[in-house]
């Protein structure tokens, strides 16, 4: 959020995009240097949603910070809860009961589907197709209802506790989730008919703005954006946490099916495929979930031993890591939050050169950048 | 490679004036490197085939009041191992070399550390604030930071909105 000196050429025009702009998914701002319809450079200016969450972490007790983690990524708050809990549990060496781990997985995957639905729903809308958004949001509402019955909240859940979760499943929850999945799976085929195999959509995105695997790693892209670039990497599979090693699922990888590997269509397609994998995980979780406790014994005031821990979860936007430093007092000495959107945002400047303005919008949408995660 | 093997190879490669301290007994293996040699060290662990730390997970600055510690949290996709590289920066003259050339991701990470902790990275292509406005005073993640009562005529105090009596300003000492 600052100004820099820019050299102007005769035919160059600086156009401001955002922070209030229908295609920027929240308060994001770009300073675009354009030559007619061509973008010479789009410089992201961030910070409009900065709430100094890392500073707040130093001021409140360990349990008290959990609701703030919701606000790190309010589109997929469950995974943000989960990452923080994992990191503190690592410091405390707490063993989380199996049932709580499964409940976390169920909540995470429901949340991932809801978040990906927002992503694949708003993507066509940014390109001018409004209808798919309505389809996606209708399904997301049903997931919100399910999560509301689980923890009482629809957006900022505060569901995960350090050492467990806050509530057990209500009566009939498993049946309602599986009924939803039965109804939802065929709808994904309908969604594919509507947009994934739509010629206009494919022509528009195939081969647009490919990001190579090497570049994606160098810029620290994570999650679906990294997988779309052809890298088979998923924390749930490769560094499993909770009980992800007990469920079976595939890792969708970008294969350049409509253009080049790592293009905008691949980034869209990987998310569609991940929704299906999440459905698969959810079905297994509902069958495998054991009986038992949902909360380990954790003191009301946590004072972890001196030390530092980094724990990461596969959030909807990729690796979300919490680096927690403890000085054996009631409050964390420092919490650093690593988010997927921050790195995704940083790659836009180098990728935007020579794009059309409308394609810049597609690039931003394909990276699924969410403003609170960028600014924290 | 196991954490122990990795650290012993590193201490063999670099002498004690570069790798000052290391440990593999905590939750994560870490090394503390001399701040002058940080670029050389990180470039080595990124490019050497035995380590190949191709992914800079995060870059965290921590204010320890006598010095500022920079943590480079590294991960290798090829080997699946991790390492935290630490270095201490003088708090009076907070300068350190940029690693933007090694991992482009560091460009924004370093700007964030500059913004919130006031450490300047030498050789960085675009060293300006990233989250806060250019004319913001101070660096909020410093432990001795106190927020100004107003910014450009806008109050940062809560009673301005509610008309309630002045609330005590929260500081790290109050909280602990």
């Amino acid at each position: 959020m600052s100004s820099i000196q820019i050299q102007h050429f005769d035919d160059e025009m600086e156009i401001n995009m955002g922070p209030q702009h229908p295609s920027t998914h929240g308060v994001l701002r770009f300073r675009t240097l354009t030559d007619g319809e061509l973008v010479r450079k789009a410089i992201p200016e961030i910070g409009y949603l900065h709430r100094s969450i890392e500073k707040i972490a130093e001021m409140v007790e360990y349990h008290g910070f959990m609701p703030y983690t919701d606000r790190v990524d309010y589109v997929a708050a469950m995974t943000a809860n989960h990452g923080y809990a994992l990191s503190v549990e690592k410091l405390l060496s707490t063993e989380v009961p199996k049932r709580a781990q499964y409940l976390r997985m169920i909540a995470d995957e429901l949340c991932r589907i809801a978040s990906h639905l927002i992503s694949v729903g708003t993507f066509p809308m940014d390109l001018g197709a409004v209808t798919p958004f309505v389809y996606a949001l209708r399904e997301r509402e049903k997931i919100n209802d399910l999560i509301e019955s689980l923890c009482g909240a629809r957006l900022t859940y505060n569901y995960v506790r350090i050492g467990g979760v806050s509530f057990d499943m209500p009566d009939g929850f498993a049946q309602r989730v599986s009924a939803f999945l039965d109804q939802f799976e065929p709808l994904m085929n309908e969604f594919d008919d509507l947009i994934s195999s739509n010629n206009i959509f494919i022509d528009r995105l195939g081969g647009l703005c490919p990001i190579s695997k090497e570049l994606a790693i160098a810029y620290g892209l994570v999650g679906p954006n990294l997988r779309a670039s052809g890298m088979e990497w998923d924390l749930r599979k490769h560094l499993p946490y909770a009980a992800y090693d007990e469920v079976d699922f595939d890792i969708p990888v970008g294969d350049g099916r409509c253009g080049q590997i790592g293009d905008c269509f691949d980034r869209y397609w990987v998310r569609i495929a991940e929704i299906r994998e999440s459905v698969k995980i959810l079905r297994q979780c509902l069958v495998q979930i054991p009986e038992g406790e949902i909360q380990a014994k954790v003191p009301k005031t946590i004072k972890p031993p001196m030390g530092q821990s980094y724990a990461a979860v596969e959030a909807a936007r990729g690796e979300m890591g919490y680096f927690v430093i403890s000085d054996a007092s009631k409050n964390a000495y420092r919490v650093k939050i690593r988010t997927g959107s921050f790195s995704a945002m940083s790659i836009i400047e180098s990728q935007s050169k020579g794009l059309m303005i409308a394609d810049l919008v597609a690039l931003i949408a394909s990276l699924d950048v969410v403003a609170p995660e960028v600014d924290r | 490679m196991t954490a122990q093997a990795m650290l012993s190879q590193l201490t063999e490669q670099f002498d004690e004036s570069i790798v000052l301290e290391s440990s593999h007994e905590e939750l994560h293996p870490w090394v503390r490197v001399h701040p002058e040699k940080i670029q050389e060290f990180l470039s080595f662990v990124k490019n050497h085939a035995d380590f190949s730390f191709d992914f800079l997970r995060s870059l965290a600055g921590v204010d320890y009041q006598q010095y500022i510690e920079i943590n480079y949290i590294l991960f290798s996709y090829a080997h699946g191992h991790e390492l935290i590289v630490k270095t201490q920066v003088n708090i009076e003259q907070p300068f350190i070399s940029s690693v933007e050339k090694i991992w482009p991701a560091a460009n924004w990470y370093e700007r964030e550390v500059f913004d919130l902790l006031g450490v300047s990275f030498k050789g960085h292509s675009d060293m300006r604030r990233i989250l806060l406005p250019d004319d913001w005073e101070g660096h909020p993640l410093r432990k001795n930071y106190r927020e100004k009562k107003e910014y450009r005529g806008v109050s940062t105090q809560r009673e301005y909105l509610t008309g309630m009596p002045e609330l005590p300003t929260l500081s790290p000492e109050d909280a602990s």
Side-chain angles (χ1 to χ4, degrees):
Chain A
M1 217 160 65
S2 59
S3 53
I4 48 164
Q5 291 295 313
I6 290 165
Q7 202 182 353
H8 288 268
F9 301 98
D10 287 349
D11 47 356
E12 191 173 84
M13 192 187 225
E14 189 188 329
I15 297 179
N16 182 56
M17 190 170 148
Q20 304 299 333
H21 190 278
S23 76
T24 55
H25 299 227
V27 278
L28 301 176
R29 178 178 163 228
F30 296 86
R31 294 146 50 87
T32 46
L33 304 183
T34 57
D35 177 0
E37 272 291 300
L38 280 176
V39 177
R40 285 225 172 113
K41 202 181 200 182
I43 305 161
E45 296 290 349
I46 65 170
Y48 289 88
L49 215 54
H50 181 56
R51 294 139 296 163
S52 49
I53 287 178
E54 290 174 7
K55 185 76 176 175
I56 294 171
E58 298 170 11
M59 307 246 178
V60 296
E61 293 182 14
Y62 282 92
H63 284 300
F65 185 58
M66 192 58 83
Y68 290 100
T69 61
D70 286 329
R71 276 79 182 168
V72 174
D73 179 2
Y74 48 59
V75 185
M78 210 60 95
T79 42
N81 281 182
H82 196 168
Y84 175 65
L86 279 184
S87 193
V88 180
E89 284 155 9
K90 210 167 171 179
L91 272 176
L92 292 167
S93 339
T94 306
E95 190 72 34
V96 179
K98 204 82 197 177
R99 187 173 177 82
Q101 293 187 351
Y102 270 92
L103 285 169
R104 286 175 179 189
M105 280 161 65
I106 291 170
D108 276 6
E109 295 309 317
L110 281 173
C111 204
R112 188 186 319 276
I113 295 176
S115 171
H116 280 353
L117 280 174
I118 289 262
S119 169
V120 299
T122 52
F123 197 170
M125 192 165 74
D126 286 347
L127 304 179
V130 182
T131 319
F133 181 69
V134 186
Y135 280 64
L137 266 269
R138 183 188 61 197
E139 298 313 308
R140 181 171 176 270
E141 262 325 281
K142 295 172 187 162
I143 296 177
N144 282 354
D145 289 343
L146 286 171
I147 296 182
E148 188 183 11
S149 72
L150 183 66
C151 68
R154 296 170 69 83
L155 193 70
T156 47
Y157 311 115
N158 189 20
Y159 175 61
V160 180
R161 293 281 182 273
I162 293 163
V165 293
S166 54
F167 300 102
D168 205 341
M169 292 197 285
D171 287 340
F173 181 77
Q175 288 78 1
R176 267 179 288 144
V177 172
S178 68
F180 164 73
L181 296 178
D182 291 341
Q183 172 263 338
F184 174 69
E185 253 192 321
L187 274 172
M188 282 310 290
N189 297 335
E190 197 182 319
F191 195 82
D192 279 348
D193 290 343
L194 187 67
I195 195 77
S196 311
S197 54
N198 182 318
N199 261 342
I200 305 170
F201 192 66
I202 290 170
D203 286 351
R204 187 80 164 64
L205 298 179
L208 178 64
C209 223
I211 297 174
S212 71
K213 191 157 108 181
E214 291 70 32
L215 197 68
I217 294 173
Y219 271 92
L221 288 195
V222 285
N225 295 333
L226 179 66
R227 289 192 278 279
S229 295
M231 175 83 179
E232 196 187 332
W233 178 264
D234 191 318
L235 286 174
R236 290 173 293 172
K237 193 75 131 191
H238 292 100
L239 300 170
Y241 54 95
Y244 277 110
D245 47 352
E246 293 170 17
V247 291
D248 177 46
F249 62 100
D250 298 321
I251 307 174
V253 174
D255 51 6
R257 58 178 59 224
C258 295
Q260 270 172 282
I261 291 183
D263 61 8
C264 287
F265 189 84
D266 270 355
R267 283 191 282 279
Y268 164 82
W269 182 253
V270 161
R271 290 188 171 86
I272 291 282
E274 270 183 25
I275 291 177
R276 293 206 164 88
E277 294 305 318
S278 290
V279 171
K280 225 178 193 179
I281 296 173
L282 275 170
R283 285 194 198 282
Q284 294 172 54
C285 286
L286 291 174
V287 174
Q288 293 174 14
I289 185 166
E291 292 297 323
E293 291 288 309
I294 58 158
Q295 174 72 46
K297 280 211 165 19
V298 174
K300 281 219 170 79
T301 302
I302 298 179
K303 287 185 180 173
M306 293 265 274
Q308 50 198 348
S309 76
Y310 180 89
V313 289
E314 186 70 36
R317 271 156 284 284
E319 175 168 333
M320 176 178 269
Y322 286 80
F323 183 57
V324 180
I325 298 181
S326 160
D327 61 348
S329 71
K330 289 190 295 187
N331 304 357
Y333 191 75
R334 173 91 166 91
V335 175
K336 167 82 183 126
I337 309 168
R338 186 255 190 269
T339 60
S341 294
F342 189 77
S343 6
M345 195 74 177
S346 73
I347 204 172
I348 290 176
E349 183 172 338
S350 69
Q351 291 301 299
S352 63
K353 286 180 188 115
L355 289 179
M356 306 292 274
I357 292 177
D359 288 345
L360 174 67
V361 172
L363 173 65
I364 299 165
S366 78
L367 289 167
D368 191 20
V369 176
V370 170
E373 251 204 343
V374 179
D375 296 340
R376 292 163 314 217
Chain B
M1 204 187 315
T2 64
Q4 201 170 356
M6 184 163 65
L7 293 185
S8 62
Q9 191 174 334
L10 280 174
T11 40
E12 240 167 67
Q13 182 75 30
F14 294 96
D15 65 38
E16 285 167 359
S17 66
I18 299 176
V19 174
L20 306 167
E21 248 184 296
S22 66
S23 166
H24 59 85
E25 282 156 356
E26 291 172 32
L27 288 167
H28 304 277
W30 59 268
V31 289
R32 190 157 70 78
V33 178
H34 194 279
E36 299 278 316
K37 304 286 179 190
I38 190 74
Q39 206 173 20
E40 183 189 325
F41 181 85
L42 289 173
S43 158
F44 174 81
V45 294
K46 195 215 165 183
N47 296 319
H48 195 283
D50 288 351
F51 302 102
S52 58
F53 284 109
D54 45 2
F55 178 30
L56 177 62
R57 274 180 143 172
S58 189
L59 201 164
V62 189
D63 180 9
Y64 281 105
Q65 277 157 317
Q66 289 88 31
Y67 56 89
I68 291 176
E69 185 180 83
I70 312 278
N71 293 275
Y72 300 84
I73 304 171
L74 307 179
F75 187 78
S76 164
Y77 282 122
H79 302 297
H81 56 210
E82 57 169 3
L83 179 69
I84 298 180
V85 179
K86 296 163 172 294
T87 189
Q88 293 179 356
V89 181
N90 185 339
I91 201 157
E92 302 297 330
Q93 289 153 326
F95 293 104
I96 190 163
S97 304
S98 166
V99 295
E100 189 197 344
K101 299 252 160 46
I102 307 172
W103 296 281
N107 183 321
W108 275 33
Y109 293 160
E110 288 175 349
R111 277 178 68 188
E112 193 186 334
V113 174
F114 170 70
D115 191 357
L116 302 179
L117 280 145
V119 177
S120 278
F121 290 83
K122 285 181 284 188
H124 190 283
S125 60
D126 188 18
M127 193 85 269
R128 35 183 196 112
R129 282 191 186 262
I130 187 164
L131 293 168
L132 302 173
D134 266 350
D135 55 353
W136 193 265
E137 283 176 48
H139 303 283
L141 283 181
R142 289 271 181 104
K143 293 286 174 185
N144 60 4
Y145 175 76
R146 292 289 175 277
E147 196 176 7
K148 290 268 171 349
K149 282 241 172 354
E150 58 164 48
Y151 170 70
R152 290 200 184 193
V154 181
S155 171
T156 57
Q157 307 293 302
R158 207 171 280 186
E159 72 277 17
Y160 172 77
L161 295 171
T162 59
M164 277 161 62
E166 192 170 333
L167 296 163
T169 19
L170 200 59
S171 71
E173 290 90 277
D174 300 335
S176 59

